[in-house]
Amino acid sequence: MTGAADSAAAQEFWDTFYRAGDRIWTGRPNAVLVREVVDLTPGRALDLGCGEGADAIWLAQRGWRVTAADISRIALDRAAGNAAAAGVGDRIDWQRHDLAVSFPVGVFDLVSAHFLHSQLDLPRDRILRSAAAAVAPSGVLLVVGHAGHPSWEHHPDQAVPFPAPEEVLTALDLPAGRWELLRNEVHEHSFTGPDGQPATRTDNTLKLRRLAG
Ligand SMILES: C[S@@+](CC[C@H](N)C(=O)[O-])C[C@H]1O[C@@H](n2cnc3c(N)ncnc32)[C@H](O)[C@@H]1O
C-alpha cells in the first residue's frame, strides 16, 4: 500500500477504528515493554504504531524522550491529551506517519514496535528494516507481535499475517556480527475476553541490541 489514495484509505480505516470509542485500549503500557525496558538507561525512544500512547507515556515517565508515530490522527490527538494529563506532554513528539510511506527522522536508543499489525496491506517487514536502521549504536530494537488470533476467534475472517520471531528476524536481514540477539520468545498470556470469559493469546518477542562501533 503506497499510493496516496491507499494511504488515505488506511488512515480513514484506523481513524474509524479509534472513533468507535473514547478509549479503545486499556491505557496501561504493554507488559512486555515494561519487562524489557525497565532496566535500560533512558535516552531517545521511538514507538511505532503508538495508538493511544500508553507505551510512549510510560517511557516518558521513566525519563525517555519519545517520538511516537501512528497513522491515525484520532489516536494521536487522544494520545497527546493522555500525555498532557499525565504531565509528560513536553517529552513526547507525536508524529503522524503512514509508515508504508514515511518514517520518523532520527536515531534512537530504543525502537519499539508493539502489535504493529493491520487488516490492511502493510509492508511490515520493510517498516521493521527501517526501524532497525534507526537504532543507535548500543541501542535496542524491540518487536512484539501477536503469533495468532485470540482464543475466542475460531473462524477469523481477516487474514492478518502473524509472523513467528524467526520470520521477523529473517525479514530484518541484519548484517552478520553487528547485532546481539537478547530475546527470541513465544509466550501465551491469559486475560478476560470481550464476552467476560477467560481467554488466551500467544504473542512473540524479539529483542536485539545493535553492537557499538
Ligand atoms: C494493534 S494497534 C497497536 C497499538 C499499540 N502499539 C498498542 O500496543 O496498544 C496497531 C496500531 O498501528 C497503527 N497503524 C496501522 N497501520 C499503520 C501504518 N501504515 N502506519 C502507521 N501506523 C499504523 C494503528 O493506527 C494502530 O494504532
Side-chain angles (χ1 to χ4, degrees):
M1 178 174 290
T2 51
D6 288 342
S7 189
Q11 179 177 355
E12 185 51 35
F13 172 88
W14 283 103
D15 279 348
T16 301
F17 173 86
Y18 281 106
R19 274 193 210 101
D22 292 338
R23 195 179 75 180
I24 302 298
W25 308 114
T26 62
R28 294 191 297 276
N30 281 298
V32 174
L33 177 85
V34 173
R35 186 190 74 193
E36 298 296 341
V37 172
V38 74
D39 290 332
L40 299 182
T41 302
R44 302 152 294 177
L46 173 61
D47 182 11
L48 297 170
C50 63
E52 294 169 323
D55 284 0
I57 291 167
W58 181 83
L59 286 166
Q61 288 171 327
R62 309 266 328 162
W64 294 80
R65 286 223 149 263
V66 186
T67 299
D70 203 281
I71 195 171
S72 168
R73 173 57 59 200
I74 305 292
L76 289 169
D77 288 350
R78 194 173 292 168
N82 293 339
V88 291
D90 60 337
R91 299 193 64 81
I92 307 173
D93 179 12
W94 304 100
Q95 296 187 9
R96 204 196 77 75
H97 289 270
D98 176 354
L99 294 167
V101 176
S102 61
F103 196 89
V105 172
V107 289
F108 302 89
D109 305 297
L110 170 69
V111 179
S112 167
H114 270 73
F115 308 116
L116 184 60
H117 300 294
S118 180
Q119 288 98 318
L120 306 180
D121 211 5
L122 182 72
R124 190 172 184 268
D125 292 348
R126 175 160 58 79
I127 293 167
L128 293 181
R129 283 194 289 275
S130 298
V135 175
S138 304
V140 166
L141 174 65
L142 180 62
V143 181
V144 179
H146 295 307
H149 290 279
S151 53
W152 70 81
E153 271 190 24
H154 300 296
H155 305 289
D157 57 356
Q158 294 135 348
V160 183
F162 294 127
E166 288 74 20
E167 294 175 280
V168 177
L169 201 49
T170 301
L172 282 172
D173 196 22
L174 299 172
R178 310 297 303 158
W179 290 79
E180 178 187 6
L181 183 59
L182 301 175
R183 177 96 60 201
N184 178 354
E185 170 182 286
V186 177
H187 46 100
E188 186 182 87
H189 62 106
S190 306
F191 56 102
T192 304
D195 57 359
Q197 297 300 308
T200 57
R201 188 158 200 180
T202 304
D203 296 336
N204 54 52
T205 299
L206 197 57
K207 183 183 186 187
L208 296 136
R209 183 184 297 281
R210 182 195 285 276
L211 300 180

